[in-house]
Amino acid sequence: MNEPTRRWTWHALAGFLILGPLTSLAADPGLGWRGDGTGKYPSATPPTTWSRTSSAVKPLRFSAEIPSAADAGASMADGVIRDWLILGPLPLAQGEGSERSALPDEGALAPTVGQTAGAQRWRKVTLDSAYLDFTRLVEKPEDEHLVAFAFTNVYSPTGGKFRLNLTTVGHARLWINGKPPAAMGKRVLFDLVKGWNRLLLRVSPGEKDWYAVPVIQGQGECKYEQSGIAWRASLPGVAPAFYGGGMGAGAPVIVGDKIYLLSEPHDLICVEERSGRVLWIRRASYFEAATDEEKKSPEYFDAQALATKIDAVNAVFVSGTASAQQLEERGKLEAGLRKAMKQIDKAKYANQAVPDVGFSGFTPVTDGHFIYTWFGDGVSACFSLDGERKWIHVDQRLAIEHGFSSSPILAGGKFIVFMRDLIAMDCADGKVAWETPIVSADGLNPGNFIHGSLVAARIGDTEIILLGNGTIVRVSDGKILWQADSDNQAVPTPVVDGRTVFHVTHGNADLTIRELPNRLVDPLKLSTRTISIDLSSFPKHYLPWHLSSPLVHEGLAYMVNNAGVLTVIDIADGKTIYQKMLDLDVFQDHNEGAARGVGASPILAGKHIYILGNSGATLVIDPGRTYRQLAKNKIESITMLGHWSERHERFVANPVADGNRLYIRGEDCLYAIGPP
């Protein structure tokens, strides 16, 4: 047995050793989304501390009260201010528009503790996260025409340009040293002077919530200091669009000493695990899927010319010398290639809109011998571990709002994908074995749609597929065995522990637990109970959704919602053990595609739980009935430098643990956390 197969077999065997002879395990397990689907890596021993901080942000300090010396204040290497003076609520003066004021000469404010302003006094608060939750801090009134202020001092030894990621649900204004920024939005560019700077926020309430989450980041080309990071591998597919495209939502899979992951728009990338060096790129687009007859058309030769140019850029990228301009041109060539293929067959090669997760926002799956991939415009392909394509197949279904987003699975010798229908292909040759309609074929928002990934399990000797909307399908023939009354657009992926299935239901907010029987009977009956999760006392942006799946460990379920609230539930008695607003530097905005809040599912690696936020922060906590945080780690990274879409790198993919390393996928890079 060669080393890749032997090592993969140990990964699979580890799952059996931990879980035991459970009737819900798949017959031919594959590594894919969240490892084996549970998010547990019991034999891994990754580090608990690491950092990547820009030289601009690392030396920043804050002090809510007027600093007495240049070295006063507390460090804020993660960009989070934790001490503020707050004031409110105060009414806005009469007038029109956002220029109305609550206090005279607001921008010039430099308050002290206890100082009066109107009928209120400035008071100091110390936070354990970036959330300024004014509903708790000043008690939200019924009148929405009121504001609250938050003031602090920030020290920079050099001054310079910075960015503020600012999440609010109401209108906000910002003053730096008495002056507003050139433009106000969710990503605010501003300058600090050398020395101490006054920072003042004025925030209006939203319809139901009232908060601000300000996180300071570097801007433009930054120098970074890092520790605990073995390597950082750039990926070629980051896209400029704020909404969708290049989202980096697909986690890697590891076979032997190679890492495999997808990149925009249709690439399978192989990375050397030891060094992070990109070994090869293989495209699986409409162009590669063309039949021999289609290759005879004049339009195919136009497409071939574009594909040749793309291949040349890919070769330069693998050599490590590709420029940002070349990669941007590559994106244009890829778009042109898709248009050229549409001229060959408008139905088969329809140009679908880019999904929120991008065309490549999925985790591939492997059986230890081959890598199976699926892309959001319907292309499935199988590759050898060395990158030789075994087969390629195209399916088209009408696009959905936000796009398809379900990672595939292997089960029963079949490669199974979801795009309105479940489609099962024979692993050997890619031929379709069966297709089962799951949701309506019409409309952008069909009922019972799922965004979560597929899960393979068993009932007795029968292999089944679990869907996020509660549907159970038999692997052998695609027959629907059971369906639940489900909400529209179920987002999280189910989790299987023994014979117990954990679904997030009811507006992606509550936890539903179903028990699979020991054997398959007709009609199939499942015992079901739902645990209600009350998030009403915590801030929310749009809805208090759980985008991520729970982690189930030793009788407890760990659930993290999109706002960064951790809820720990005792599974046996259905009670909430504790809830905690996490220090994850969450950034939320409607135009963020798949990165609208925390979407990565928590994992267990060795003895610790790792929780990844969407802005590069990872918390390491101990499992158990009380909250015990071991570390907060931050990866600071600016992507799309110089572009109108320049921003902090977004993180959506689930972390993957392997040996003494943790792999974190961002939209721009893959990070290896651990020793060199």
Side-chain angles (χ1 to χ4, degrees):
M1 183 183 294
N2 61 34
E3 177 59 25
T5 304
R6 180 169 64 250
R7 186 171 177 209
W8 181 87
T9 302
W10 165 247
H11 278 294
L13 180 60
F16 283 99
L17 293 176
I18 295 298
L19 294 173
L22 302 176
T23 59
S24 62
L25 284 176
D28 45 351
L31 291 179
W33 182 86
R34 215 174 173 209
D36 63 359
T38 66
K40 294 182 180 182
Y41 304 86
S43 61
T45 57
T48 58
T49 59
W50 63 89
S51 68
R52 186 176 194 266
T53 307
S54 70
S55 57
V57 172
K58 186 175 182 179
L60 295 181
R61 299 197 300 276
F62 61 82
S63 175
E65 301 180 74
I66 298 175
S68 57
D71 60 352
S75 173
M76 51 180 294
D78 60 354
V80 176
I81 299 166
R82 300 177 188 275
D83 285 348
W84 297 85
L85 299 184
I86 62 168
L87 180 76
L90 291 173
L92 285 171
Q94 296 298 315
E96 297 294 332
S98 61
E99 298 305 316
R100 291 185 296 167
S101 63
L103 294 171
D105 198 10
E106 291 176 335
L109 290 171
T112 57
V113 175
Q115 183 178 346
T116 60
Q120 306 289 335
R121 289 181 181 272
W122 290 91
R123 61 188 181 89
K124 182 179 177 180
V125 298
T126 298
L127 310 176
D128 56 6
S129 75
Y131 269 93
L132 279 160
D133 185 2
F134 294 111
T135 302
R136 291 185 175 185
L137 295 173
V138 302
E139 297 184 0
K140 181 183 176 184
E142 294 297 325
D143 185 358
E144 294 185 2
H145 299 287
L146 296 171
V147 295
F149 289 89
F151 174 86
T152 196
N153 300 279
V154 175
Y155 179 82
S156 171
T158 60
K161 297 183 179 299
F162 294 84
R163 174 185 287 104
L164 186 74
N165 268 13
L166 182 63
T167 302
T168 61
V169 287
H171 180 76
R173 295 194 67 189
L174 171 70
W175 292 269
I176 304 292
N177 298 320
K179 298 179 181 180
M184 190 69 195
K186 293 300 179 72
R187 292 188 176 93
V188 186
L189 304 182
F190 66 95
D191 294 326
L192 293 179
V193 300
K194 181 178 179 180
W196 284 101
N197 298 259
R198 304 192 319 275
L199 189 154
L200 178 69
L201 273 170
R202 193 191 80 185
V203 182
S204 301
E207 182 179 350
K208 296 182 179 179
D209 292 275
W210 189 9
Y211 66 88
V213 186
V215 181
I216 294 178
Q217 301 160 346
Q219 178 188 339
E221 293 190 22
C222 297
K223 294 182 179 179
Y224 295 92
E225 298 179 28
Q226 66 182 37
S227 64
I229 299 178
W231 48 256
R232 172 179 177 264
S234 294
L235 303 172
V238 65
F242 279 105
Y243 192 82
M247 292 299 300
V253 294
I254 303 171
V255 183
D257 58 356
K258 305 294 190 301
I259 301 173
Y260 302 87
L261 72 166
L262 305 186
S263 181
E264 282 297 290
H266 305 100
D267 294 333
L268 171 65
I269 296 181
C270 178
V271 177
E272 186 178 59
E273 186 178 21
R274 179 182 62 84
S275 66
R277 181 169 63 95
V278 175
L279 299 177
W280 47 258
I281 299 174
R282 298 292 184 267
R283 187 174 54 244
S285 70
Y286 291 156
F287 175 76
E288 284 71 34
T291 65
D292 291 340
E293 188 64 30
E294 290 170 340
K295 291 177 181 179
K296 298 176 183 178
S297 68
E299 293 83 2
Y300 181 80
F301 292 102
D302 296 335
Q304 191 171 41
L306 293 169
T308 300
K309 293 180 180 180
I310 296 169
D311 291 340
V313 177
N314 285 347
V316 175
F317 182 86
V318 171
S319 73
T321 59
S323 67
Q325 291 76 16
Q326 286 175 306
L327 293 179
E328 186 172 358
E329 179 62 24
R330 174 184 179 272
K332 296 176 182 178
L333 291 170
E334 289 280 10
L337 182 61
R338 295 181 70 233
K339 291 180 180 178
M341 292 304 298
K342 186 177 180 180
Q343 298 304 312
I344 296 175
D345 190 323
K346 293 183 179 180
K348 180 180 178 182
Y349 302 128
N351 281 335
Q352 296 192 15
V354 181
D356 280 16
V357 299
F359 289 120
S360 65
F362 311 92
T363 301
V365 63
T366 180
D367 57 8
H369 302 280
F370 296 95
I371 306 296
Y372 299 84
T373 66
W374 182 73
F375 295 87
D377 54 2
V379 179
S380 302
C382 172
F383 293 87
S384 72
L385 299 181
D386 294 326
E388 181 182 353
R389 191 175 70 245
K390 185 181 179 184
W391 54 258
I392 189 168
H393 178 81
V394 176
D395 291 288
Q396 280 288 359
R397 298 294 187 275
L398 181 66
I400 197 78
E401 185 183 22
H402 304 299
F404 301 120
S405 54
S406 302
S407 291
I409 58 168
L410 293 174
K414 298 176 179 65
F415 177 59
I416 304 166
V417 304
F418 170 77
M419 48 186 313
R420 291 188 186 252
D421 301 343
L422 273 182
I423 304 170
M425 289 157 270
D426 190 285
C427 286
D429 55 18
K431 292 182 179 179
V432 174
W434 51 257
E435 300 180 21
T436 300
I438 298 298
V439 299
S440 169
D442 301 315
L444 282 177
N445 290 284
N448 253 355
F449 187 77
I450 69 168
H451 287 288
S453 296
L454 308 178
V455 176
R458 276 185 183 277
I459 298 176
D461 294 329
T462 303
E463 296 172 273
I464 61 171
I465 304 162
L466 301 170
L467 281 71
N469 62 5
T471 302
I472 298 177
V473 177
R474 188 162 55 198
V475 169
S476 61
D477 58 3
K479 179 182 178 181
I480 294 177
L481 302 176
W482 193 83
Q483 287 180 293
D485 294 330
S486 177
D487 302 315
N488 191 39
Q489 306 225 14
V491 176
T493 302
V495 174
V496 182
D497 185 72
R499 296 206 323 270
T500 308
V501 181
F502 297 84
H503 288 268
V504 181
T505 59
H506 299 105
N508 301 308
D510 293 337
L511 181 63
T512 293
I513 302 173
R514 298 188 176 100
E515 296 293 330
L516 298 175
N518 285 312
R519 60 187 182 87
L520 186 64
V521 295
D522 189 15
L524 183 62
K525 296 182 179 180
L526 307 180
S527 63
T528 301
R529 60 192 178 103
T530 296
I531 300 172
S532 180
I533 301 173
D534 183 5
L535 294 163
S536 60
S537 62
F538 294 95
K540 64 180 181 298
H541 186 66
Y542 175 56
L543 291 169
W545 285 6
H546 290 88
L547 306 178
S548 63
S549 297
L551 172 69
V552 178
H553 179 61
E554 295 183 344
L556 300 179
Y558 300 81
M559 302 177 64
V560 181
N561 81 340
N562 57 338
V565 179
L566 170 65
T567 301
V568 179
I569 296 171
D570 186 303
I571 297 169
D573 64 18
K575 294 181 179 179
T576 296
I577 303 301
Y578 71 82
Q579 289 181 301
K580 170 77 173 175
M581 174 61 77
L582 299 176
D583 187 17
L584 283 175
D585 312 343
V586 176
F587 179 57
Q588 292 185 276
D589 186 46
H590 294 307
N591 294 328
E592 285 298 302
R596 279 173 283 191
V598 178
S601 303
I603 69 166
L604 178 77
K607 299 179 180 180
H608 307 305
I609 295 173
Y610 293 73
I611 304 172
L612 174 65
N614 66 335
S615 293
T618 302
L619 300 182
V620 184
I621 68 172
D622 276 339
R625 304 178 75 86
T626 58
Y627 184 78
R628 182 170 180 264
Q629 181 175 309
L630 302 178
K632 177 184 180 180
N633 306 290
K634 189 69 176 279
I635 293 175
E636 187 185 357
S637 176
I638 308 301
T639 189
M640 300 301 297
L641 283 169
H643 196 277
W644 62 265
S645 185
E646 180 179 305
R647 58 184 180 268
H648 192 281
E649 186 175 12
R650 298 176 290 202
F651 295 83
V652 183
N654 299 314
V656 173
D658 183 66
N660 60 359
R661 281 188 180 171
L662 182 74
Y663 294 94
I664 296 178
R665 165 75 185 273
E667 61 178 324
D668 197 13
C669 297
L670 175 66
Y671 299 84
I673 309 300

